[in-house]
Amino acid sequence: MQRRQRGISAGLLLLFYEISRVGFQNIPPVTLGTLALNIILFLNPLGPLSEVCISVNESFYRKNWWRLLLSPIHHADDWHLYFNMVSMLWKGIMLERKLGSAWLAYIIAVFSVLIGVVYMALEYALAELLGDPTYKMICAVGFSGVLFALKVLNNHYNPGRFSSVLGMQISNKYACWVELVAIHLVSPGTSFAGHLAGILVGLMYTVGPLKRIMKACAGVFSPSTYPAHQRDHYSQYYDRPGYEYSTRRNYDVYTGGLTEEEQLERAVLNSLNERDFGGATQDNVRRPYGFWFPPEQLSEEEMRRQRLLRFERR
């Protein structure tokens, strides 16, 4: 297996154009770093494709496990790189906004290795079931397996949407499977097992135990890196469907750093402590937006009395 084209080429130039349209400042760090790593290794590969690709023979039988790390970040040619990285661009922006940078980096690292393992298992099973040892020699490179897994996650976190596959509007629930078949009808030379491995790993995360296992192994991360605690968002929309980006926002100035349950409790308390209809203080100074903290806690009887007085004035 040899790389068909090196250096600055049409696919690479188009990729730079797409990145510039979004703007470097609008691409979150892990997504941008992933793009940069793949581009750098395309221009300066660590070795010939035959030495970085993954297969049952090379990686399992010959114990070249380092290929699990190298195969996803090397590409066969500039168009292979272009299509994979453009897909990574919008998937990464959406997922990094949703999950946070540290968690997305963790996902990409785990998925890259695990997809290689599942890929080898699929090729080994095909070789044994069909009695054809050539499946064990098929060597694959590219980031597309990881992208199929990220697509499963993206569809999971954004349900109810539709994707266009060969001009057909397909529910995101089934889009991965339709796209898996469509790609291999249009481009038979692509790795069916590699793409299928990506879907299976994505399902292991969304409906299987993988997410729980990853959380259990992520004790070195602070709680803020978990998806449920993500507070910074990329919320503006790019001018093409599927792109989503903006500068980072910190909503702690509005929430006071409280959880949703604490915000609700504080809102009820603030409502009971209001002195008039408009939410002004007794000095007729309007409170700032967000959650304020009263200097002292009133008794339950005093709160009830003020609430009754408030209703009598309506």
Side-chain angles (χ1 to χ4, degrees):
M1 181 185 294
Q2 297 296 324
R3 193 181 306 274
R4 293 193 290 268
Q5 193 171 2
R6 286 186 181 182
I8 302 298
S9 50
L12 197 57
L13 290 174
L14 281 175
L15 176 57
F16 286 140
Y17 171 71
E18 292 292 341
I19 293 173
S20 67
R21 289 189 64 191
V22 178
F24 288 99
Q25 72 280 6
N26 295 317
I27 304 175
V30 172
T31 300
L32 185 60
T34 302
L35 297 175
L37 177 62
N38 280 269
I39 292 172
I40 290 171
L41 290 179
F42 175 76
L43 295 173
N44 300 281
L46 297 179
L49 291 182
S50 59
E51 296 180 6
V52 297
C53 63
I54 184 174
S55 69
V56 176
N57 278 352
E58 293 295 334
S59 302
F60 181 70
Y61 288 137
R62 298 184 181 180
K63 310 300 181 184
N64 293 325
W65 299 113
W66 45 267
R67 290 175 182 252
L68 289 170
L69 298 174
L70 298 184
S71 61
I73 50 180
H74 285 80
H75 291 81
D77 56 39
D78 58 318
W79 291 111
H80 188 202
L81 176 73
Y82 167 76
F83 287 115
N84 277 354
M85 291 302 101
V86 167
S87 181
M88 177 62 202
L89 181 61
W90 74 266
K91 287 182 176 69
I93 289 174
M94 295 183 72
L95 286 173
E96 194 161 349
R97 173 190 61 83
K98 181 72 176 180
L99 303 177
S101 297
W103 193 257
L104 181 62
Y106 185 32
I107 284 176
I108 291 175
V110 172
F111 280 15
S112 295
V113 175
L114 189 55
I115 287 168
V117 173
V118 175
Y119 166 77
M120 288 191 293
L122 291 173
E123 294 287 21
Y124 182 89
L126 286 172
E128 294 298 318
L129 290 173
L130 301 178
D132 186 354
T134 58
Y135 284 102
K136 298 179 182 180
M137 295 184 286
I138 297 176
C139 218
V141 292
F143 206 70
S144 53
V146 179
L147 292 172
F148 265 89
L150 295 182
K151 186 177 182 67
V152 173
L153 267 63
N154 191 38
N155 293 345
H156 172 75
Y157 288 116
N158 299 281
R161 296 186 178 182
F162 289 82
S163 297
S164 178
V165 181
L166 297 180
M168 300 181 294
Q169 292 297 312
I170 306 295
S171 170
N172 276 356
K173 185 176 181 180
Y174 310 105
C176 289
W177 300 103
V178 176
E179 187 174 335
L180 174 68
V181 175
I183 285 178
H184 294 281
L185 291 177
V186 175
S187 183
T190 54
S191 175
F192 184 89
H195 295 169
L196 178 59
I199 293 177
L200 295 178
V201 170
L203 292 175
M204 288 167 60
Y205 183 92
T206 56
V207 300
L210 180 57
K211 183 178 179 180
R212 294 191 297 272
I213 294 172
M214 289 175 62
K215 283 189 174 183
C217 296
V220 295
F221 289 150
S222 65
S224 61
T225 61
Y226 289 107
H229 297 272
Q230 181 64 19
R231 289 175 181 155
D232 295 329
H233 300 280
Y234 293 83
S235 58
Q236 294 177 346
Y237 291 88
Y238 187 54
D239 60 356
R240 288 169 66 183
Y243 281 97
E244 209 170 333
Y245 68 91
S246 79
T247 55
R248 297 176 72 87
R249 294 182 179 180
N250 187 347
Y251 289 97
D252 285 354
V253 295
Y254 300 106
T255 66
L258 302 176
T259 65
E260 291 183 1
E261 292 79 7
E262 291 169 336
Q263 291 175 38
L264 179 59
E265 180 182 354
R266 181 62 59 182
V268 173
L269 181 61
N270 290 350
S271 177
L272 294 177
N273 284 330
E274 285 179 352
R275 298 290 195 263
D276 62 5
F277 302 111
T281 64
Q282 57 187 353
D283 297 325
N284 202 30
V285 177
R286 185 168 295 277
R287 304 184 185 108
Y289 291 118
F291 290 93
W292 60 280
F293 298 86
E296 60 180 1
Q297 297 291 337
L298 300 179
S299 67
E300 184 178 350
E301 182 63 29
E302 180 65 16
M303 292 181 186
R304 185 180 299 108
R305 186 185 68 80
Q306 291 186 8
R307 185 170 60 174
L308 291 174
L309 289 175
R310 179 183 175 193
F311 286 131
E312 288 174 359
R313 288 183 290 181
R314 294 191 175 185

PDB file of all heavy atoms in Angstrom, residues 62 64 89 93 120 144 212 312:
ATOM      1  N   ARG A  62       1.440 -10.461  14.281  1.00  0.00           N
ATOM      2  CA  ARG A  62       2.812  -9.965  14.417  1.00  0.00           C
ATOM      3  C   ARG A  62       3.002  -9.017  15.605  1.00  0.00           C
ATOM      4  O   ARG A  62       4.082  -8.467  15.793  1.00  0.00           O
ATOM      5  CB  ARG A  62       3.246  -9.279  13.121  1.00  0.00           C
ATOM      6  CG  ARG A  62       3.260 -10.217  11.931  1.00  0.00           C
ATOM      7  CD  ARG A  62       3.795  -9.539  10.682  1.00  0.00           C
ATOM      8  NE  ARG A  62       3.785 -10.455   9.539  1.00  0.00           N
ATOM      9  CZ  ARG A  62       4.191 -10.148   8.306  1.00  0.00           C
ATOM     10  NH1 ARG A  62       4.661  -8.917   8.076  1.00  0.00           N
ATOM     11  NH2 ARG A  62       4.146 -11.035   7.339  1.00  0.00           N
ATOM     12  N   ASN A  64       2.101  -5.995  16.244  1.00  0.00           N
ATOM     13  CA  ASN A  64       2.415  -4.587  16.004  1.00  0.00           C
ATOM     14  C   ASN A  64       1.255  -3.721  16.505  1.00  0.00           C
ATOM     15  O   ASN A  64       0.528  -3.096  15.722  1.00  0.00           O
ATOM     16  CB  ASN A  64       2.670  -4.339  14.510  1.00  0.00           C
ATOM     17  CG  ASN A  64       3.922  -5.029  14.026  1.00  0.00           C
ATOM     18  OD1 ASN A  64       4.910  -5.130  14.753  1.00  0.00           O
ATOM     19  ND2 ASN A  64       3.889  -5.524  12.792  1.00  0.00           N
ATOM     20  N   LEU A  89     -14.777  18.295  11.103  1.00  0.00           N
ATOM     21  CA  LEU A  89     -14.926  19.714  11.429  1.00  0.00           C
ATOM     22  C   LEU A  89     -16.282  19.985  12.053  1.00  0.00           C
ATOM     23  O   LEU A  89     -16.380  20.536  13.153  1.00  0.00           O
ATOM     24  CB  LEU A  89     -14.717  20.556  10.171  1.00  0.00           C
ATOM     25  CG  LEU A  89     -14.818  22.071  10.322  1.00  0.00           C
ATOM     26  CD1 LEU A  89     -13.760  22.572  11.287  1.00  0.00           C
ATOM     27  CD2 LEU A  89     -14.682  22.755   8.963  1.00  0.00           C
ATOM     28  N   ILE A  93     -17.177  20.214  16.208  1.00  0.00           N
ATOM     29  CA  ILE A  93     -17.716  21.453  16.769  1.00  0.00           C
ATOM     30  C   ILE A  93     -18.984  21.175  17.567  1.00  0.00           C
ATOM     31  O   ILE A  93     -19.150  21.649  18.697  1.00  0.00           O
ATOM     32  CB  ILE A  93     -17.980  22.475  15.652  1.00  0.00           C
ATOM     33  CG1 ILE A  93     -16.660  23.003  15.089  1.00  0.00           C
ATOM     34  CG2 ILE A  93     -18.824  23.638  16.165  1.00  0.00           C
ATOM     35  CD1 ILE A  93     -16.817  23.902  13.884  1.00  0.00           C
ATOM     36  N   MET A 120     -10.462  -5.535  13.630  1.00  0.00           N
ATOM     37  CA  MET A 120      -9.738  -6.793  13.490  1.00  0.00           C
ATOM     38  C   MET A 120     -10.631  -7.984  13.840  1.00  0.00           C
ATOM     39  O   MET A 120     -10.546  -9.048  13.201  1.00  0.00           O
ATOM     40  CB  MET A 120      -8.487  -6.777  14.371  1.00  0.00           C
ATOM     41  CG  MET A 120      -7.393  -5.869  13.853  1.00  0.00           C
ATOM     42  SD  MET A 120      -5.811  -6.115  14.725  1.00  0.00           S
ATOM     43  CE  MET A 120      -6.237  -5.532  16.364  1.00  0.00           C
ATOM     44  N   SER A 144     -12.130   7.501   9.239  1.00  0.00           N
ATOM     45  CA  SER A 144     -13.558   7.366   8.984  1.00  0.00           C
ATOM     46  C   SER A 144     -14.269   6.472   9.996  1.00  0.00           C
ATOM     47  O   SER A 144     -15.447   6.673  10.285  1.00  0.00           O
ATOM     48  CB  SER A 144     -13.794   6.850   7.561  1.00  0.00           C
ATOM     49  OG  SER A 144     -13.055   5.663   7.334  1.00  0.00           O
ATOM     50  N   ARG A 212     -20.201   4.115  30.755  1.00  0.00           N
ATOM     51  CA  ARG A 212     -20.027   3.914  32.199  1.00  0.00           C
ATOM     52  C   ARG A 212     -18.612   3.459  32.518  1.00  0.00           C
ATOM     53  O   ARG A 212     -18.013   3.884  33.514  1.00  0.00           O
ATOM     54  CB  ARG A 212     -21.051   2.898  32.710  1.00  0.00           C
ATOM     55  CG  ARG A 212     -22.491   3.371  32.624  1.00  0.00           C
ATOM     56  CD  ARG A 212     -23.415   2.449  33.389  1.00  0.00           C
ATOM     57  NE  ARG A 212     -23.422   1.104  32.813  1.00  0.00           N
ATOM     58  CZ  ARG A 212     -24.227   0.726  31.837  1.00  0.00           C
ATOM     59  NH1 ARG A 212     -25.081   1.598  31.313  1.00  0.00           N
ATOM     60  NH2 ARG A 212     -24.205  -0.509  31.374  1.00  0.00           N
ATOM     61  N   GLU A 312     -52.653  40.833  48.004  1.00  0.00           N
ATOM     62  CA  GLU A 312     -53.737  41.766  48.286  1.00  0.00           C
ATOM     63  C   GLU A 312     -53.657  43.007  47.414  1.00  0.00           C
ATOM     64  O   GLU A 312     -54.672  43.644  47.143  1.00  0.00           O
ATOM     65  CB  GLU A 312     -53.660  42.172  49.767  1.00  0.00           C
ATOM     66  CG  GLU A 312     -54.089  41.047  50.717  1.00  0.00           C
ATOM     67  CD  GLU A 312     -53.872  41.430  52.165  1.00  0.00           C
ATOM     68  OE1 GLU A 312     -53.369  42.548  52.396  1.00  0.00           O
ATOM     69  OE2 GLU A 312     -54.208  40.610  53.048  1.00  0.00           O
TER      70      GLU A 312
END
